[in-house]
Amino acid sequence: MSKKGLDTLIEISLGETRAARIDEDGVLYELQVERAGQESLVGNFYLGKVTRVEKGMDAVFVDIGTEEPGLINRAKGLEEGKTLIVQVIRDARDGKGPALTRHPVLMDRYFAFTPGRKGVNWARAVGKGRDRAHLEAVLPQILGEKTDGFSVRGPAVAVGEPILEESVDRLRQKWDVLREMVREDRKPRLLEKAPKMIERLLRDLEGETRIAMDDRSAYLEAEKTIKKLYPDLSQGLLYHDSEISIFEDTGVEEQIEEALEREVHLKNGGSLAFDKTEALIVIDVNMGSATAKGDDAIFQVNKAAAEEAARQIMLRNLSGLIVIDFISMKNKGRLKRLIEALRSKFLKDTRHTDVLGLTSAGLMEITRQREGVSLDDLMLKAKPVQSSTLNPVAQGCAVLRAATRLKGAGRPTAYASPEVIDALKGGVLSDAMEECTKRLGRPLHLYVGEDQIPPQVGME
């Protein structure tokens, strides 16, 4: 794997696709999951119609043709009856409809386009050196007279002008198609779905990232996309040719299981405990089995805890207000080094994160952008209680993953809770269950039992 940035492992199985971002040591930092029956609306384009204006909230409710109306904040100038193209920036949650933006962003690997915005923006990943100077020199030729609204993305430094011109043309044509759809029919509705996860990853991965996939058909499709659209990734696509899943082979599966636990043990003997409330997330640092004493020893535990806490926050996709209660130290100056350690680790984060510093009570405060759902929400049962019980659909996908790798004589058999069996037989995973039967060449027999990690699947 590459020593630059984070590499991406993609596992395709019946019912879901999972993507893991790991560092050069194989440490898992981020997990994305795309699962049957739980599709996100984020990135979708809609034609919306303003149905209610809330002046006190500076917000409007927008009919986009879904069950729940969307909400636009900071919506000055919008009146009831107004129609406009909007984009979903956050899925519905907690009884609230999806959050929308009135300034949709059209994305390609090398450029992004925000209609109506003035000027040209430059992504931080482009840098300030020779590559930026070259792009600035050729940009007028690439964009032509209409430059407003374009953002130059980091991977643009790795390709030539013809590829960049094609990227710009794709974005302009896409916007023209959306506007034409609106002219033909003013009814609130979906205009275009966001790309699927693999396509989105190929579009958004930083330069020199390597991608490994364990499904041949998906690999060949990705290879075709890269050859046609994203040539800078042509040396970075790998096929994981093994009967063992890529997540198991690389230790990612085990790290996911650890990230579902309340307590995380550190190599130096310390530990972290994660507790989630409605208002904030609390991370408590404990000495655990560490026996060394004194400020130096405490600092080493705290430093290891800070680095692991940053990793766990990204991996678990924790968001909102996060508070870390470090072990008390006499030397308060060392707390600044903990802040520096946290900030350096969050440089890998794909979400906007602020390490705010210490409260008067000595607690470290962090805020992190809300985007997507947490790992707990993906893998465990939902509210009203904080639960360690497995999410039935997530467990059903795990059953199917294990079943498709069964070998030898006997009857393919799985034991799971009634909820998991319902999801497999007649719920959102029924199509995946049928595909599992085709691949096995015989039915997978389901019996009521205990949900476990890994699931109880074998030949009997």
Side-chain angles (χ1 to χ4, degrees):
M1 288 293 172
S2 167
K3 295 294 181 182
K4 278 198 168 186
L6 297 176
D7 287 304
T8 299
L9 311 178
I10 301 176
E11 181 196 72
I12 295 95
S13 58
L14 297 177
E16 69 178 7
T17 299
R18 302 190 293 174
R21 301 183 78 223
I22 62 172
D23 69 6
E24 60 271 16
D25 298 316
V27 176
L28 177 63
Y29 274 86
E30 182 182 359
L31 179 73
Q32 296 184 39
V33 179
E34 187 174 74
R35 186 178 294 151
Q38 298 180 356
E39 290 82 4
S40 171
L41 301 184
V42 173
N44 286 1
F45 292 88
Y46 291 86
L47 176 59
K49 181 177 182 180
V50 177
T51 57
R52 193 165 90 242
V53 177
E54 293 287 349
K55 293 184 178 179
M57 298 168 54
D58 189 19
V60 299
F61 289 90
V62 182
D63 177 12
I64 57 173
T66 57
E67 185 176 344
E68 294 286 341
L71 179 70
I72 299 178
N73 289 311
R74 295 183 293 277
K76 290 181 179 177
L78 292 180
E79 300 177 349
E80 287 188 17
K82 171 76 173 177
T83 58
L84 68 164
I85 297 174
V86 296
Q87 189 176 30
V88 177
I89 56 175
R90 191 187 68 229
D91 283 311
R93 68 165 185 255
D94 300 330
K96 299 177 182 177
L100 310 174
T101 177
R102 63 197 290 190
H103 305 293
V105 181
L106 290 76
M107 300 289 290
D108 199 74
R109 179 160 177 78
Y110 309 112
F111 288 94
F113 179 49
T114 307
R117 197 194 59 207
K118 300 296 183 182
V120 175
N121 280 12
W122 294 81
R124 186 182 301 175
V126 174
K128 298 288 186 181
R130 195 182 315 172
D131 290 333
R132 165 84 178 248
H134 172 73
L135 285 174
E136 286 179 337
V138 300
L139 201 61
Q141 171 190 334
I142 294 168
L143 296 181
E145 295 180 0
K146 298 179 180 179
T147 62
D148 284 348
F150 280 93
S151 296
V152 185
R153 307 188 74 198
V157 303
V159 295
E161 286 86 354
I163 299 298
L164 297 179
E165 289 172 1
E166 290 175 6
S167 176
V168 169
D169 288 343
R170 281 195 296 271
L171 291 171
R172 284 177 168 153
Q173 289 170 12
K174 182 176 178 179
W175 182 240
D176 288 343
V177 168
L178 291 175
R179 288 194 299 176
E180 184 60 33
M181 292 172 68
V182 171
R183 280 193 288 267
E184 292 174 355
D185 184 356
R186 307 294 290 185
K187 179 183 178 181
R189 68 193 188 281
L190 174 67
L191 297 176
E192 180 175 292
K193 282 189 174 183
K196 293 287 188 179
M197 186 171 70
I198 294 177
E199 184 181 346
R200 189 172 67 247
L201 286 169
L202 295 178
R203 183 195 69 189
D204 293 340
L205 288 172
E206 56 265 39
E208 298 189 35
T209 298
R210 300 182 74 185
I211 311 112
M213 309 174 73
D214 67 355
D215 181 89
R216 179 163 290 279
S217 63
Y219 166 79
L220 293 173
E221 187 64 30
E223 188 178 47
K224 189 187 305 181
T225 298
I226 287 171
K227 184 177 181 180
K228 180 180 179 182
L229 302 177
Y230 309 142
D232 64 302
L233 291 175
S234 59
Q235 301 302 311
L237 184 64
L238 307 172
Y239 175 57
H240 179 79
D241 190 6
S242 172
E243 291 185 359
I244 303 173
S245 80
I246 192 170
F247 276 21
E248 291 179 5
D249 210 15
T250 56
V252 167
E253 196 71 61
E254 183 179 350
Q255 294 181 68
I256 295 172
E257 294 170 14
E258 292 172 352
L260 294 173
E261 299 291 336
R262 175 181 178 268
E263 193 170 4
V264 174
H265 297 280
L266 306 174
K267 292 180 180 179
N268 60 14
S271 66
L272 302 173
F274 292 77
D275 290 296
K276 189 175 182 180
T277 72
E278 290 293 332
L280 52 79
I281 294 161
V282 179
I283 305 173
D284 190 34
V285 181
N286 302 298
M287 285 295 288
S289 62
T291 56
K293 297 180 180 179
D295 236 29
D296 286 342
I298 292 174
F299 173 71
Q300 292 304 320
V301 173
N302 278 337
K303 184 172 182 294
E307 293 172 350
E308 182 62 21
R311 172 186 169 245
Q312 291 289 333
I313 287 168
M314 290 183 281
L315 174 54
R316 297 173 186 233
N317 198 18
L318 304 178
S319 59
L321 178 61
I322 303 166
V323 174
I324 305 178
D325 185 8
F326 287 105
I327 303 166
S328 296
M329 295 184 296
K330 294 178 181 178
N331 186 339
K332 301 300 181 184
R334 284 177 166 165
L335 287 169
K336 292 182 180 179
R337 293 169 64 183
L338 294 182
I339 295 174
E340 292 170 1
L342 279 167
R343 286 177 175 159
S344 67
K345 287 296 180 180
F346 281 123
L347 292 176
K348 298 176 180 178
D349 200 359
T350 56
R351 312 282 185 264
H352 181 73
T353 304
D354 282 326
V355 179
L356 302 177
L358 297 172
T359 68
S360 56
L363 303 174
M364 187 78 74
E365 282 191 320
I366 301 167
T367 60
R368 188 167 184 267
Q369 176 188 7
R370 296 184 187 276
E371 187 173 320
V373 298
S374 70
L375 185 65
D376 279 0
D377 290 338
L378 274 172
M379 304 299 294
L380 304 177
K381 276 191 175 179
K383 297 174 182 179
V385 294
Q386 186 172 340
S387 170
S388 59
T389 306
L390 295 169
N391 177 301
V393 179
Q395 184 67 2
C397 290
V399 167
L400 293 172
R401 268 196 305 277
T404 53
R405 291 184 167 85
L406 290 174
K407 302 290 182 183
R411 292 173 7 128
T413 304
Y415 292 86
S417 67
E419 291 175 297
V420 173
I421 293 174
D422 287 345
L424 289 166
K425 283 188 170 181
V428 295
L429 297 177
S430 57
D431 289 344
M433 183 70 172
E434 287 184 19
E435 180 62 26
C436 180
T437 298
K438 290 179 183 177
R439 293 191 187 186
L440 291 172
R442 46 194 160 169
L444 173 64
H445 297 273
L446 302 174
Y447 298 100
V448 174
E450 185 180 355
D451 291 330
Q452 295 182 4
I453 300 178
Q456 301 182 71
V457 179
M459 303 295 284
E460 293 186 354

